[in-house]
Amino acid sequence: MTATIRVAAAPISWGVCEVPGWGRVLDAATVLGEMAALGVQATELGPPGYLPREPAALRELLGGYDLKLVGGFLAVVLHENQRNALKEAEESAALFAACGGEVLVLAAATGLDGYDERPKLTEAEWAALVDTAGKIRDIAAAHGLRTVLHPHVGTHVEQRAEVERFLADSDLGLCLDTGHLMIGGTDPVELAQRYPERVGHVHLKDVREDLAAEVRDGRLAYTDAVGRGIYTALGEGDVDVASMVRSVQAAGYDGWYVLEQDTALGDSSPDDVPRRDTERSLAHLTTIIDSL
């Protein structure tokens, strides 16, 4: 029997990113229209300012494309200025909840622009990070949302040791982002098998391990790796996406699978590249689902 799996997308697959100077940004009508045409059921919100932040306007916009809201990504500094982090979390959680969202995807931002540099935290700053994440979990829960911590390149939870430490120090679930975990040195399949109860959300990516190794070793900046095609359509890179999906499904995961290939569009990049890559990813995921 074919499993019932909820599939969503995210604007970053169309090059829409919060990082200044990331690349050319396609308009929302194009992005949402292509998502709907591909048959995905929902979207994450995308970076602040890309889609409306007023609930009625956002509901109307997404409804026009028959898309639901999964929730959204919140990259915020957690290790200092807790009051500001909690304020941002309250605003995002209220918006997500008002528009039918289910999950707040939290990342431990450094406070720097982009994801190419990562200052080291002190023990006190790490403790503050964990404490603030817990308070954000409580804020989101008050709005009926789950909070997951997203291990992400260029944040303070990136490398395998940091992922393991966060799992030990916090009770938050994880956003199992197959690409960012692999780039950071964590096997996403093995992680999902060891901590099935901590998988609270899934971002499906595929990556080229040769470029991931260069990023891990500090020989290639993350932004440059994206430009060189570190992210591929599902099934065309080195992540064992099929095994990961089978593992989390067997463990009872019933959340969203968000197709998310971090893309940066150059001035000469064809507009249809994101749609074609997402279409190939969706076809590969459909094959996996049909085999379950």
Side-chain angles (χ1 to χ4, degrees), residues 56-79:
L58 181 58
R59 287 195 299 267
E60 181 179 5
L61 177 63
L62 295 180
Y65 296 95
D66 199 25
L67 290 170
K68 298 177 183 178
L69 183 69
V70 173
F73 179 65
L74 178 65
V76 64
V77 175
L78 301 176
H79 61 277

Side-chain angles (χ1 to χ4, degrees), residues 212-224:
E214 291 191 46
V215 174
R216 257 192 318 272
D217 296 344
R219 292 178 284 130
L220 181 64
Y222 176 67
T223 302
D224 294 336

Side-chain angles (χ1 to χ4, degrees), residues 2-290:
T2 300
T4 300
I5 287 182
R6 297 188 293 165
V7 180
I12 185 61
S13 290
W14 278 259
V16 182
C17 184
E18 69 279 0
V19 177
W22 179 260
R24 187 163 55 88
V25 177
L26 299 177
D27 62 88
T30 296
V31 173
L32 298 178
E34 291 185 356
M35 286 183 187
L38 289 171
V40 298
Q41 300 164 276
T43 181
E44 289 194 6
L45 184 63
Y50 183 66
L51 298 181
R53 299 286 294 186
E54 198 283 315
L58 181 58
R59 287 195 299 267
E60 181 179 5
L61 177 63
L62 295 180
Y65 296 95
D66 199 25
L67 290 170
K68 298 177 183 178
L69 183 69
V70 173
F73 179 65
L74 178 65
V76 64
V77 175
L78 301 176
H79 61 277
E80 61 185 14
N81 197 358
Q82 185 178 86
R83 179 179 297 179
N84 182 68
L86 300 184
K87 179 176 181 294
E88 290 193 45
E90 172 63 39
E91 292 171 355
S92 292
L95 174 62
F96 300 164
C99 296
E102 301 175 22
V103 59
L104 188 154
V105 183
L106 182 65
T110 62
L112 304 175
D113 286 338
Y115 297 113
D116 291 332
E117 297 181 62
R118 222 170 59 104
K120 185 176 177 60
L121 293 184
T122 65
E123 290 296 312
E125 287 172 330
W126 177 267
L129 181 157
V130 172
D131 181 65
T132 304
K135 286 182 167 61
I136 289 175
R137 172 205 58 213
D138 294 342
I139 288 171
H143 288 280
L145 303 174
R146 292 177 291 106
T147 299
V148 292
L149 192 283
H150 186 339
H152 192 293
V153 174
T155 71
H156 288 302
V157 184
E158 170 192 331
Q159 298 173 359
R160 177 169 182 162
E162 295 155 354
V163 174
E164 297 285 349
R165 185 177 183 185
F166 188 84
L167 284 166
D169 291 351
S170 171
D171 62 359
L172 265 71
L174 291 183
C175 172
L176 191 75
D177 186 300
T178 55
H180 281 280
L181 283 166
M182 187 169 180
I183 296 169
T186 298
D187 180 340
V189 177
E190 190 266 344
L191 184 72
Q193 291 171 344
R194 283 198 296 124
Y195 298 102
E197 75 285 357
R198 302 296 290 272
V199 178
H201 192 51
V202 175
H203 284 174
L204 287 179
K205 291 182 173 72
D206 208 343
V207 299
R208 290 174 49 188
E209 171 56 24
D210 59 337
L211 293 179
E214 291 191 46
V215 174
R216 257 192 318 272
D217 296 344
R219 292 178 284 130
L220 181 64
Y222 176 67
T223 302
D224 294 336
V226 172
R228 286 176 53 183
I230 189 171
Y231 293 106
T232 71
L234 297 184
E236 298 175 18
D238 295 300
V239 175
D240 190 350
V241 177
S243 291
M244 199 285 304
V245 171
R246 293 188 186 106
S247 176
V248 297
Q249 283 294 116
Y253 178 73
D254 61 358
W256 290 97
Y257 290 86
V258 183
L259 298 174
E260 206 191 50
Q261 279 67 45
D262 292 11
T263 299
L265 295 177
D267 291 339
S268 61
S269 301
D271 286 357
D272 65 344
V273 168
R275 178 191 58 76
R276 288 191 284 111
D277 286 350
T278 304
E279 187 173 29
R280 296 204 307 276
S281 292
L282 185 59
H284 183 71
L285 178 58
T286 299
T287 298
I288 295 169
I289 294 170
D290 288 345

